[in-house]
Amino acid sequence: MRKICRVIAWTVLWVLPTLANAQTFRIFEKPIIFDEEREKLSLEYLEKRHGILQENATIQPKMVVVHWTAINTLETTFDVFNPVHLAGRPELTAASRLNVSAHFLVDRDGTIFRLLPDTTFGRHTIGLNYMAIGIENIGGPDAPLTKAQVKANAELIRYLHRKHKLEYVIGHHEYYAFQGTPLWKETDPNYITQKQDPGDKFMKRLRKKLSDLSFKSTP
């Protein structure tokens, strides 16, 4: 009997650290402001920039666009996305006063925060906002994205795919490939920004984890 108890005790001691180290997929709610003014500006953006007239600021997701923040802390990033009105970026405010945002924010340890419901309109990728869920990752050129962020992005995208049957997963720096296709909806052909995030290295690692889902990266 004592021998059995010792075996059980050693089993528990071995299993508990293993369970403690295993990360459970979770999404923490951290909503940005989405009031009447933000919805009004979102509807205006949909109409004027995408040529889409509708009653609610919603999307039917077909794509995920992966970004990096180029800001190295989560709270500072949240403070940038939270206001309704965009400030300090004349190349973007000329198109709309609607602030940029994303649906999800992934911290450097892989913790996932939801800023907007995944079917709510967010301004994060020119020409594709009307169908794209945005995932922002804390980091940038001076703070390369982490293995924990690769894992978290893969798990989050799998979760989103189960809900929406996504077709495309792209990095922000890959969005130019959609110009001139039926999927591209931007009324001003000269409205474009140059992006390098999150980079080929991160997307290669992410796609390897999602290879069984056969997402498309080009039209």
Side-chain angles (χ1 to χ4, degrees):
M1 184 67 179
R2 290 180 180 178
K3 184 177 180 181
I4 293 172
C5 290
R6 284 199 299 270
V7 171
I8 293 172
W10 277 110
T11 301
V12 170
L13 289 173
W14 180 81
V15 168
L16 284 177
T18 303
L19 292 175
N21 291 330
Q23 292 186 343
T24 302
F25 174 71
R26 295 179 64 186
I27 298 173
F28 295 90
E29 302 297 328
K30 193 175 177 67
I32 59 174
I33 296 169
F34 200 91
D35 56 10
E36 289 183 7
E37 174 68 3
R38 197 169 203 142
E39 181 158 31
K40 173 177 170 290
L41 291 173
S42 297
L43 290 170
E44 288 178 359
Y45 195 105
L46 277 161
E47 182 179 1
K48 295 178 180 179
R49 309 309 308 186
H50 292 322
I52 298 172
L53 182 62
Q54 58 189 55
E55 294 183 358
N56 301 109
T58 57
I59 65 170
Q60 294 182 349
K62 294 182 181 179
M63 171 186 289
V64 163
V65 182
V66 182
H67 308 253
W68 69 31
T69 61
I71 301 172
N72 293 343
T73 67
L74 184 134
E75 290 302 330
T76 303
T77 300
F78 181 85
D79 289 343
V80 170
F81 290 157
N82 192 40
V84 171
H85 297 112
L86 180 64
R89 299 180 67 179
E91 75 281 11
L92 298 183
T93 53
S96 173
R97 294 174 62 233
L98 175 66
N99 196 10
V100 294
S101 61
H103 298 82
F104 297 93
L105 189 57
V106 182
D107 209 348
R108 298 187 61 74
D109 64 356
T111 306
I112 301 168
F113 298 89
R114 190 196 320 267
L115 306 186
L116 288 172
D118 39 82
T119 56
T120 295
F121 180 85
R123 182 184 184 184
H124 59 92
T125 306
I126 293 171
L128 301 172
N129 295 305
Y130 74 97
M131 67 166 183
I133 295 171
I135 301 175
E136 287 276 1
N137 291 272
I138 301 297
D142 299 326
L145 302 185
T146 67
K147 291 181 179 179
Q149 286 173 310
V150 174
K151 181 176 183 291
N153 276 252
E155 291 177 338
L156 176 55
I157 291 169
R158 286 182 181 277
Y159 159 79
L160 294 169
H161 181 58
R162 289 194 294 270
K163 294 177 67 178
H164 303 296
K165 304 302 179 187
L166 301 167
E167 296 180 46
Y168 301 90
V169 173
I170 68 170
H172 197 188
H173 66 297
E174 299 171 325
Y175 85 110
Y176 314 107
F178 290 81
Q179 287 179 278
T181 73
L183 293 173
W184 181 263
K185 294 188 185 300
E186 169 51 51
T187 56
D188 181 357
N190 297 316
Y191 181 49
I192 201 77
T193 55
Q194 300 301 313
K195 297 295 179 181
Q196 59 176 332
D197 62 303
D200 291 335
K201 182 178 179 180
F202 186 84
M203 291 307 299
K204 182 178 180 180
R205 292 163 68 190
L206 178 58
R207 288 188 172 114
K208 184 176 181 181
K209 287 186 174 294
L210 297 171
S211 59
D212 57 301
L213 298 178
S214 301
F215 289 123
K216 293 179 281 188
S217 59
T218 55

